[in-house]
Amino acid sequence: QVQLVESGGGLVQPGGSVTLSCTASVAIASIYALAWYRQAPGKQRELVARITNDGTTNYADSVKGRFTMSRDNANLVELQMNSLKPEDTAVYYCNAKRFSWLARDDWGRGTQVTVSS
């Protein structure tokens, strides 16, 4: 199982920027796919951004042009969040699928992002 630890969440003003970090217990290069999900109160958990080991990225329509997902050459995954809106308020989770054939994913515990003035 891949252990994932998120950090960087907190309170931010509308229009502001925050970068979330996720540290994995294994090398990013050994993971098939990494993703950020979020869940707001009363809503279903939703996919925010995803990146596969070939570098291909996908974003939810609601965050395209504002959020950027990236990973380094070691163990770090990041989500750069710009032009934040109150609707972005949620708990953000780091997700990893170690191998493409696995039915289950690994999850971090989440980090709270609150966008408010």
Side-chain angles (χ1 to χ4, degrees):
Q1 183 176 349
V2 179
Q3 293 179 316
L4 303 165
V5 180
E6 303 96 335
S7 63
L11 177 64
V12 61
Q13 303 252 323
S17 298
V18 169
T19 297
L20 304 182
S21 297
C22 172
T23 301
S25 62
V26 301
I28 297 299
S30 72
I31 299 174
Y32 168 68
L34 292 150
W36 287 95
Y37 286 78
R38 68 184 180 187
Q39 187 166 22
K43 289 190 173 183
Q44 187 177 356
R45 183 174 57 191
E46 65 173 342
L47 176 65
V48 176
R50 185 174 186 264
I51 187 166
T52 52
N53 59 8
D54 66 353
T56 302
T57 54
N58 293 281
Y59 297 93
D61 288 341
S62 59
V63 307
K64 283 181 179 177
R66 299 190 298 122
F67 291 9
T68 302
M69 187 176 181
S70 63
R71 77 270 198 265
D72 69 4
N73 292 320
N75 301 72
L76 182 65
V77 183
E78 292 188 329
L79 182 68
Q80 184 180 357
M81 307 165 64
N82 300 322
S83 302
L84 285 163
K85 306 173 181 179
E87 303 94 276
D88 296 318
T89 296
V91 177
Y92 285 73
Y93 299 91
C94 188
N95 168 280
K97 184 179 286 295
R98 183 71 188 279
F99 305 105
S100 63
W101 58 87
L102 290 176
R104 65 178 293 276
D105 294 352
D106 297 309
W107 295 86
R109 297 296 298 273
T111 185
Q112 176 73 46
V113 175
T114 301
V115 184
S116 176
S117 59

